[in-house]
Amino acid sequence: MPKVELREVTVKYGRKVALEDVNITIEDGSYSIIAGPTGAGKTTLLKAICGLVPLARGRILVDGKDITGIPPEKRGVGYLPQGYALFPHLDVWGNITFGPTSRGWDPRDIEVIARRILNMIGLIERADAYPHELSGGMAQRVALGRAIASGADLILLDEPLSALDVMLRILLRYEIRKMAKALNLTVIHVTHDQEEAMSIGDRIFVLREGKILEEGPPEKLFRAPENPFTAYFIGESNFYIGYADKGVVRIDGVELKSSSKLEGDVLVAIRTREVKICQAEERLTNSIRASVEEIRFFGRVTKILLNVNGLRMVSELPTLRIEGLKKGDEVLINVDPEDVLLYRLETVEGYPEVKEVILNAGDRAR
Amino acid sequence: MSIGLIEELSSNKILRATWYSIVVGFFLLFVLIPPIYLFIYLAGSYDKLPVVLSNSEIMGEMKRAIYFSYAIAATVTVIDLISALPMAWILLKKKFRLKGLLDTLLDLPMALPTSALGFSVAMFWLRLADLRNAFWAVVALHVAMSYPYMLRTLIASLESVKSQYEIAARTLGAHPFTVARTITLPIAKPGIIAGCILCFAKSLSETGGTAVTLSVIEAVERTGPVLIKSWKAATTQAEVFLLAGGILSAILIISSLLALYSFRTLATRWRVPIRKIWLWERRLSQRPFTSLRDFLSVLFPIFVVLAPSLFIALFPLWLNADGLPSGLLTAIWNSVVIASIATMINLITGIPLSIFIARSKSSLAASLLDAMVNIPLIVPTTALGFSISLFWSKGIALGLSDLAVISLAHISFTQPLLVRNVIASLEQLDPSLEDTARTLGANPLKTFRKITFPLIKPGIVAGTILSFTRSLGETGATISVVPKALTAPVYIVELVSERAYSVAGISCMILLLISGVLLYALKRTGRGE
């Protein structure tokens, strides 16, 4: 059950900086998520921790011990690359015992360990199966079992669910977490799927272009992200450019109360899930009239495209709650001032992808 | 030192870097430095050069030989391309009886020593058509020898074109011929260019079979490599021939590299007129054109490649055996020893070199090495062998035995075959397999032994057989080191020049058998059995 600390970790590929000054602490026994878009440096971060890429600068400490520069085979860090990398020429038994054999353990111990692991992952019957004969879920269990068998208690998972079908993906993400918690492992799980990140992480680290932008528990990153990129990447938001003055933000013709203390030109983010449709008789703060322009059905939830005094806004609500709503309806919407998030307008310059989705930015409005 | 200790040491980065430096150093010293030394040597003896340059007989012979070589290589490449392209198409896309047999038999000339092939082809055309024109006799031999290489390269490159493009083009209304011309071939162009370069270089480099052919038809013409061979044999009489051979080797090395790199650059830029589609074209997709095309494409390799190559098997029927090839066993033994030494050293140094190139593709050093590995495949082996012989006798006079120097010469042109195969296998290997093995506690050497090696083994085996076969059949590089070396291919060249045709024929048949076995082994590994 190790605690992992990264101190000013910088990795370069030639001239390209893949990771820049990453400072994070992964608590002992925690399930941490590194979330970020493609090309953010997520895989590089994992490879740096297990020693597969050299650091240009910085240190990595495991339980206070500096492991920078130690070759990967001597770190005892379990790494599950994307696609699991089960050795195709070895059967399940051969894969599970690869680590212990490589470390030169006593053959009798190896036998005992391998049996215990196979029992744990429920594949004792399939010990002589080859990787191509296993289902996606089995392959994942073998990969995890293989890492644990080698004595690792820090496990790095690189997009472990991306190769699976949607249904299995949702089922298995809880299974990995359960297994990790039962065995008291410290897990660092990399994903670009924000829903996956929120549903299983104890703590999420948001990585973009080699830098950690923000970290915190999932609820905090969802309710009150400190960085506009987090508001963009974790959960869905409506983005606007507005002007804030004494707790009120004006976005074109619409005025909304905000709990933020920020004043002046601001970037406004409102979670689509926090845009509620309320009954006409309720008088809440920030209730505004809006008309329904389009209804998009997504199964459990439905997205409603609203026109709020000429301003476009998306609301995401459970399908059950909006029965009977149809295009052209006039409704009353409401947003809690806590959920009107404000950021300095300059910050958006660093995030072109956020700029792209600002709803009242002229022709670029979607 | 125990394996465990060596494996333990492989974790050390500095030791690993040292090991890779040694391997790269070996490659540079044994493969690249000798040709460079040739130029240094020529520059160093500039005071003697006028003796050669003012000798009009030598210079005239040199000019004619260079022209002869390039004219033949160009003709051969054009014939190969035109005849092998429809055949590649047929073998890839059509099903017919005996296709598998034809497919296998067409590889046979690749495994046969070219001097044996040259004897067989020359005899075939002499008996059948009384062909005594030196140019066409050599072209006939080079086509028989290089056609399989062109065919294999074309099949591989056509195979890599995704069928979706062709299907899309057909559904958009294009006729099969138009699809081939405007979609398939332009996409497969890099492979077609590679095939042309391969055949051109093969033809330019061919020595043994050409010498045999020219001697059978009693021609006075010489190709570049054959001229180097005769001058090398004459160096014992006058030193002027050593210089002349050096100059000719240098010219061949430089001109072949220039010719092929400029061809590649030009051909890559050249665009076929794919925008225009002529209406008469659709006729070409219909009978009887298609039947005629298929018929001719299958007939050509049967009569120009297969029959001449196998002709030697019939040969003893109308010649009395006037003696058994007494020296053949020794010659075969020498050939096997040289091929084994060369292949061994290739394995020891070639695999690490391949790993270094494949794993650090982004670094400048690796991409340079990657390009340099191909040089011995492009320059004529006789010129390469000449420079190696010069380097180890005049450059570094260690007093190496002839056998050792011949082995070194053979390493230089067989190593690329192994290295290319191993690099190709490594590139298909998912690098995360090795990464994971490391994190599971295996040090670099153990990772190689237990993960990398088993997975790239088919590539290594194929590369090993290829380089062994190639070494076994090589004449030029052997002859340019020691004119009278007793390897099997050189033995045949000598028998033919002494007019001992029946002994030569029997020797060829024995070599044909050995080659057949090797080819069969290669085919089996190719299928991954």
Side-chain angles (χ1 to χ4, degrees):
Chain A
M1 304 181 290
K3 172 180 171 182
V4 186
E5 291 162 88
L6 275 68
R7 295 282 165 262
E8 291 170 357
V9 167
T10 301
V11 173
K12 291 181 185 170
Y13 293 127
R15 247 178 251 149
K16 193 180 164 275
V17 180
L19 288 178
E20 198 179 338
D21 272 333
V22 171
N23 282 298
I24 56 176
T25 301
I26 308 282
E27 288 304 330
D28 188 0
S30 69
Y31 199 107
S32 302
I33 300 273
I34 311 284
T38 316
K42 301 182 302 271
T43 301
T44 305
L45 183 63
L46 295 190
K47 284 189 168 179
I49 297 173
C50 58
L52 292 166
V53 293
L55 304 190
R57 195 156 48 85
R59 289 183 306 149
I60 297 172
L61 310 169
V62 173
D63 284 337
K65 200 174 125 254
D66 193 340
I67 60 160
T68 325
I70 293 181
E73 61 268 25
K74 291 184 181 151
R75 293 199 181 189
V77 176
Y79 170 49
L80 272 72
Q82 227 170 342
Y84 314 130
L86 294 180
F87 305 130
H89 60 304
L90 301 177
D91 58 12
V92 169
W93 182 268
N95 268 284
I96 298 274
T97 55
F98 182 87
T101 320
S102 292
R103 294 192 193 284
W105 293 352
D106 187 317
R108 278 164 302 179
D109 292 345
I110 295 176
E111 173 100 22
V112 173
I113 292 167
R115 286 194 178 284
R116 210 186 63 221
I117 300 266
L118 283 171
N119 273 319
M120 184 184 81
I121 61 174
L123 284 173
I124 192 87
E125 312 279 307
R126 304 296 308 270
D128 53 358
Y130 280 86
H132 66 94
E133 299 169 317
L134 302 175
S135 70
M138 289 177 186
Q140 189 193 64
R141 273 158 28 217
V142 174
L144 195 60
R146 180 174 70 175
I148 296 166
S150 79
D153 47 10
L154 168 62
I155 305 281
L156 313 179
L157 305 170
D158 192 353
E159 305 259 0
L161 302 160
S162 60
L164 306 172
D165 295 337
V166 182
M167 288 305 291
L168 200 60
R169 198 178 333 175
I170 292 167
L171 202 71
L172 285 186
R173 63 186 180 210
Y174 300 105
E175 196 183 314
I176 308 189
R177 187 188 153 91
K178 215 167 77 190
M179 198 165 347
K181 289 289 172 193
L183 292 166
N184 236 332
L185 304 170
T186 303
V187 175
I188 305 175
H189 175 137
V190 149
T191 183
H192 67 269
D193 180 340
Q194 47 100 7
E195 202 180 292
E196 188 176 308
M198 281 195 286
S199 59
I200 49 171
D202 292 332
R203 200 171 179 79
I204 299 177
F205 298 82
V206 180
L207 187 68
R208 182 183 174 280
E209 289 188 354
K211 292 184 201 124
I212 296 285
L213 297 182
E214 191 171 356
E215 59 169 279
E219 306 76 34
K220 197 232 153 203
L221 293 196
F222 186 80
R223 288 302 298 254
E226 280 164 16
N227 185 298
F229 181 79
T230 312
Y232 162 80
F233 191 74
I234 307 276
E236 252 183 87
S237 304
N238 295 290
F239 283 99
Y240 306 99
I241 293 171
Y243 185 85
D245 187 25
K246 297 187 185 83
V248 175
V249 60
R250 282 176 61 91
I251 309 161
D252 295 347
V254 181
E255 283 192 359
L256 288 170
K257 284 203 178 70
S258 167
S259 320
S260 169
K261 300 274 181 292
L262 220 55
E263 302 209 329
D265 286 325
V266 287
L267 175 73
V268 187
I270 302 169
R271 294 294 191 191
T272 55
R273 282 200 217 179
E274 305 299 342
V275 179
K276 309 237 163 70
I277 292 181
C278 48
Q279 305 302 319
E281 58 270 21
E282 286 180 273
R283 290 306 296 175
L284 300 160
T285 36
N286 282 347
S287 331
I288 322 166
R289 297 221 146 266
S291 64
V292 176
E293 285 199 333
E294 207 179 315
I295 297 177
R296 289 181 190 158
F297 178 61
F298 280 83
R300 280 180 303 107
V301 295
T302 296
K303 286 185 186 169
I304 303 141
L305 271 59
L306 300 161
N307 184 333
V308 189
N309 258 347
L311 201 67
R312 285 163 171 231
M313 193 177 281
V314 180
S315 161
E316 186 187 312
L317 293 168
T319 303
L320 284 173
R321 290 265 305 276
I322 54 144
E323 247 174 285
L325 196 71
K326 55 187 190 303
K327 201 174 158 177
D329 281 358
E330 290 289 320
V331 291
L332 202 61
I333 60 155
N334 147 260
V335 184
D336 192 313
E338 291 278 329
D339 294 314
V340 179
L341 308 166
L342 303 186
Y343 305 94
R344 303 212 146 275
L345 190 57
E346 310 89 75
T347 54
V348 79
E349 291 306 323
Y351 310 110
E353 59 272 58
V354 178
K355 223 169 160 179
E356 199 69 26
V357 295
I358 295 175
L359 285 166
N360 63 342
D363 288 340
R364 270 184 307 189
R366 62 175 172 188
Chain B
M1 262 203 295
S2 71
I3 283 192
L5 183 59
I6 297 173
E7 286 195 339
E8 193 58 35
L9 289 175
S10 73
S11 284
N12 186 313
K13 272 189 189 158
I14 297 166
L15 286 177
R16 253 190 354 253
T18 314
W19 167 236
Y20 281 125
S21 318
I22 292 173
V23 167
V24 171
F26 180 89
F27 170 77
L28 293 176
L29 179 62
F30 290 85
V31 180
L32 278 186
I33 303 281
I36 295 169
Y37 175 74
L38 173 65
F39 292 97
I40 297 172
Y41 175 78
L42 289 177
S45 38
Y46 65 95
D47 49 331
K48 292 180 211 149
L49 285 181
V51 183
V52 182
L53 297 176
S54 59
N55 186 326
S56 61
E57 197 188 322
I58 287 182
M59 289 313 284
E61 224 179 336
M62 197 186 290
K63 269 182 215 155
R64 281 195 302 277
I66 292 171
Y67 171 76
F68 195 55
S69 277
Y70 277 95
I72 287 171
T75 313
V76 166
T77 308
V78 172
I79 295 177
D80 276 340
L81 182 62
I82 294 172
S83 59
L85 196 53
M87 187 63 187
W89 201 278
I90 292 169
L91 284 180
L92 197 63
K93 313 220 163 174
K94 305 217 164 165
K95 288 197 179 94
F96 56 92
R97 272 199 307 168
L98 300 180
K99 177 179 139 177
L101 183 69
L102 187 65
D103 197 14
T104 310
L105 280 179
L106 282 178
D107 281 345
L108 192 66
M110 286 206 272
L112 205 59
T114 54
S115 56
L117 190 70
F119 186 53
S120 184
V121 175
M123 279 303 181
F124 176 83
W125 291 109
L126 197 62
R127 300 258 163 181
L128 200 78
D130 198 33
L131 179 69
R132 288 180 191 277
N133 177 306
F135 181 82
W136 290 109
V138 175
V139 167
L141 164 68
H142 288 192
V143 168
M145 170 209 66
S146 61
Y147 180 92
Y149 289 94
M150 178 66 94
L151 188 66
R152 287 293 148 225
T153 318
L154 289 180
I155 289 179
S157 74
L158 290 179
E159 224 170 4
S160 67
V161 177
K162 288 194 186 101
S163 61
Q164 288 99 301
Y165 299 131
E166 292 167 7
I167 293 169
R170 288 296 295 277
T171 60
L172 291 170
H175 289 261
F177 180 83
T178 312
V179 174
R181 190 176 63 83
T182 60
I183 305 294
T184 319
L185 294 183
I187 296 177
K189 203 169 92 176
I192 298 171
I193 294 172
C196 291
I197 290 181
L198 185 63
C199 290
F200 193 90
K202 284 260 162 216
S203 167
L204 206 58
S205 174
E206 215 296 307
T207 314
T210 313
V212 166
T213 304
L214 293 173
S215 138
V216 164
I217 60 171
E218 296 171 35
V220 290
E221 288 91 339
R222 294 281 175 269
T223 63
V226 173
L227 194 58
I228 294 178
K229 164 189 171 288
S230 4
W231 281 347
K232 176 78 188 185
T235 46
T236 43
Q237 295 147 30
E239 221 211 328
V240 69
F241 289 115
L242 182 70
L243 273 178
I247 294 171
L248 182 51
S249 298
I251 293 175
L252 282 179
I253 290 174
I254 290 289
S255 64
S256 62
L257 285 174
L258 278 179
L260 291 171
Y261 281 111
S262 52
F263 171 73
R264 194 172 67 181
T265 318
L266 288 178
T268 313
R269 283 202 199 142
W270 181 67
R271 303 218 177 275
V272 265
I274 55 171
R275 293 291 162 80
K276 195 162 170 59
I277 288 163
W278 298 279
L279 279 179
W280 52 263
E281 226 178 60
R282 67 178 58 169
R283 289 272 187 79
L284 293 176
S285 302
Q286 293 159 4
R287 279 161 192 274
F289 288 101
T290 51
S291 318
L292 186 71
R293 180 198 65 203
D294 292 354
F295 180 71
L296 287 179
S297 337
V298 176
L299 208 63
F300 180 85
I302 289 178
F303 274 92
V304 179
V305 180
L306 271 187
S309 311
L310 294 170
F311 182 67
I312 203 69
L314 304 172
F315 190 65
L317 292 183
W318 60 80
L319 256 184
N320 296 321
D322 52 2
L324 279 170
S326 54
L328 182 65
L329 269 184
T330 330
I332 288 181
W333 172 249
N334 288 341
S335 284
V336 170
V337 168
I338 290 167
S340 308
I341 295 174
T343 308
M344 272 306 213
I345 296 178
N346 274 344
L347 281 173
I348 296 169
T349 63
I351 294 174
L353 183 67
S354 318
I355 294 177
F356 176 71
I357 292 174
R359 288 286 173 264
S360 38
K361 260 274 151 74
S362 52
S363 81
L364 183 69
S367 44
L368 264 180
L369 274 174
D370 193 34
M372 285 193 291
V373 162
N374 292 335
I375 290 178
L377 288 180
I378 290 172
V379 301
T381 52
T382 311
L384 200 63
F386 189 93
S387 71
I388 288 171
S389 151
L390 193 71
F391 180 67
W392 291 103
S393 61
K394 306 245 156 145
I396 301 181
L398 284 179
L400 290 180
S401 70
D402 287 349
L403 191 82
V405 179
I406 292 174
S407 303
L408 284 174
H410 281 216
I411 289 169
S412 71
F413 65 86
T414 53
Q415 192 168 50
L417 299 172
L418 179 79
V419 169
R420 281 269 85 90
N421 263 287
V422 177
I423 289 179
S425 310
L426 281 169
E427 277 169 353
Q428 295 201 337
L429 190 70
D430 179 0
S432 69
L433 291 171
E434 291 172 339
D435 285 350
T436 319
R438 294 288 302 279
T439 64
L440 289 170
N443 49 44
L445 198 59
K446 186 167 266 169
T447 304
F448 175 77
R449 205 160 53 83
K450 294 179 90 175
I451 305 298
T452 319
F453 180 74
L455 293 171
I456 62 169
K457 207 165 80 185
I460 294 178
V461 173
T464 305
I465 298 177
L466 266 179
S467 72
F468 188 83
T469 316
R470 186 77 173 71
S471 164
L472 212 54
E474 175 67 15
T475 318
T478 316
I479 260 176
S480 60
V481 175
V482 190
K484 291 252 172 213
L486 274 186
T487 64
V490 179
Y491 179 70
I492 289 171
V493 175
E494 276 164 23
L495 285 177
V496 172
S497 68
E498 287 160 15
R499 302 265 166 266
Y501 283 1
S502 62
V503 187
I506 293 167
S507 306
C508 286
M509 281 183 61
I510 294 171
L511 286 181
L512 183 70
L513 271 177
I514 297 175
S515 311
V517 172
L518 285 173
L519 182 69
Y520 177 70
L522 185 63
K523 279 258 158 184
R524 278 183 69 104
T525 56
R527 268 185 265 126
E529 285 172 37

